[in-house]
Amino acid sequence: MDYSYIFRSAKIKKESLDAAGFKTTDDNTFSMNKTVSKGAFNADITLSLSEQTLTVHLFDSATSEKYALFDMPNSHGAFVASLREEVQQLIDEIKSKCFETSDLKDDYIAWIKTQFGAEPDYPWPDDAPWSFVFRCPNEKWFALVMRIKYRQLGLTSDEEVWVVNMKACQDKIPNLIDKKSIFPAWHMNKKHWITVLLTAATDFNKLCELTQKSWELVTK
């Protein structure tokens, strides 16, 4: 199963991988083996720095056969759910030991207030404080900040993340979207809007540059 979403929320600390239990396959690939379900399964964990991927596959300890149901998103049931919960705990532990996390939301809000003199507006009271907008002088939005799940961006995780929707030039959107920190707009017109993560995966200067452009497009 793919857990590469971790690279969208944090920066790897390569020097910590050895202490965490990873073995070096090559300069950019690291692996780890853990037992789960009281030793009934072996979890093969592979981390690639070059591809920015983190994957886990389960193998039956007795037969060494791959447990295919674990890799099927549509497979359900109490047993599969318990395995996924245990593996998620392993992923969370790896994240805490080997990744540096940071939330850009507060710095981003402070920058918007300074740059545009705009204050957060909460048009959906039931969702506050999980979603709010910033408006241009013409009262139109140029930034919608909200908390959603990675899965809503097409990534394999129910973990929540702060993002911002902003307007972009229609002809530039295909080149802007990298599906690492910039995605097709969630819940808005994908021809004119994009979604940007407010995490360590996003370059803050780029985030500010895109926001400035959004403000200019909306104020026209």
Side-chain angles (χ1 to χ4, degrees), residues 38 48 83 97 129 165 189 200 217:
K38 298 180 179 179
S48 171
L83 288 176
K97 290 181 177 179
N165 278 9
N189 190 323
L217 289 169

Side-chain angles (χ1 to χ4, degrees), residues 112-180:
I112 287 181
K113 290 180 177 180
T114 300
Q115 183 73 6
F116 304 106
E119 293 290 335
D121 179 24
Y122 298 84
W124 308 285
D126 291 343
D127 294 330
W130 307 114
S131 57
F132 48 92
V133 301
F134 289 94
R135 300 180 187 271
C136 297
N138 61 13
E139 293 300 312
K140 294 182 179 179
W141 309 343
F142 68 92
L144 163 59
V145 177
M146 53 190 166
R147 192 169 177 84
I148 64 175
K149 293 183 178 181
Y150 280 102
R151 191 175 300 281
Q152 292 168 297
L153 297 174
L155 301 173
T156 310
S157 173
D158 285 323
E159 183 178 334
E160 292 187 334
V161 59
W162 283 103
V163 302
V164 56
N165 278 9
M166 62 182 73
K167 199 166 189 180
C169 294
Q170 183 175 353
D171 59 338
K172 294 184 178 180
I173 286 179
N175 292 326
L176 287 174
I177 292 172
D178 57 14
K179 293 190 177 181
K180 294 180 179 179

Side-chain angles (χ1 to χ4, degrees), residues 7-196:
F7 283 95
R8 315 294 175 253
S9 62
K11 291 182 179 179
I12 188 75
K13 296 187 295 185
K14 186 176 180 180
E15 68 279 3
S16 67
L17 294 175
D18 182 65
F22 278 97
K23 305 299 181 184
T24 305
T25 303
D26 57 46
D27 288 342
N28 289 302
T29 306
F30 301 82
S31 62
M32 178 193 296
N33 186 274
K34 292 280 189 178
T35 58
V36 297
S37 189
K38 298 180 179 179
F41 293 91
N42 290 315
D44 282 355
I45 305 170
T46 303
L47 187 153
S48 171
L49 299 185
S50 58
E51 299 294 330
Q52 290 200 330
T53 58
L54 179 64
T55 57
V56 181
H57 298 292
L58 292 188
F59 295 86
D60 188 293
S61 298
T63 65
S64 297
E65 292 183 356
K66 188 176 181 180
Y67 187 61
L69 289 179
F70 177 77
D71 293 325
M72 298 178 182
N74 294 327
S75 63
H76 301 286
F79 182 65
V80 174
S82 67
L83 288 176
R84 288 179 178 154
E85 182 178 355
E86 191 171 348
V87 171
Q88 185 64 55
Q89 291 174 357
L90 292 176
I91 297 301
D92 292 343
E93 183 179 350
I94 290 170
K95 183 177 180 180
S96 66
K97 290 181 177 179
C98 304
F99 286 81
E100 177 184 352
T101 61
S102 63
D103 187 339
L104 300 181
K105 178 178 68 73
D106 291 341
D107 289 341
Y108 181 59
I109 291 172
W111 178 83
I112 287 181
K113 290 180 177 180
T114 300
Q115 183 73 6
F116 304 106
E119 293 290 335
D121 179 24
Y122 298 84
W124 308 285
D126 291 343
D127 294 330
W130 307 114
S131 57
F132 48 92
V133 301
F134 289 94
R135 300 180 187 271
C136 297
N138 61 13
E139 293 300 312
K140 294 182 179 179
W141 309 343
F142 68 92
L144 163 59
V145 177
M146 53 190 166
R147 192 169 177 84
I148 64 175
K149 293 183 178 181
Y150 280 102
R151 191 175 300 281
Q152 292 168 297
L153 297 174
L155 301 173
T156 310
S157 173
D158 285 323
E159 183 178 334
E160 292 187 334
V161 59
W162 283 103
V163 302
V164 56
N165 278 9
M166 62 182 73
K167 199 166 189 180
C169 294
Q170 183 175 353
D171 59 338
K172 294 184 178 180
I173 286 179
N175 292 326
L176 287 174
I177 292 172
D178 57 14
K179 293 190 177 181
K180 294 180 179 179
S181 62
I182 304 176
F183 295 79
W186 181 75
H187 224 275
M188 292 183 74
N189 190 323
K190 293 176 173 53
K191 291 183 178 180
H192 301 284
W193 294 77
I194 57 176
T195 294
V196 185

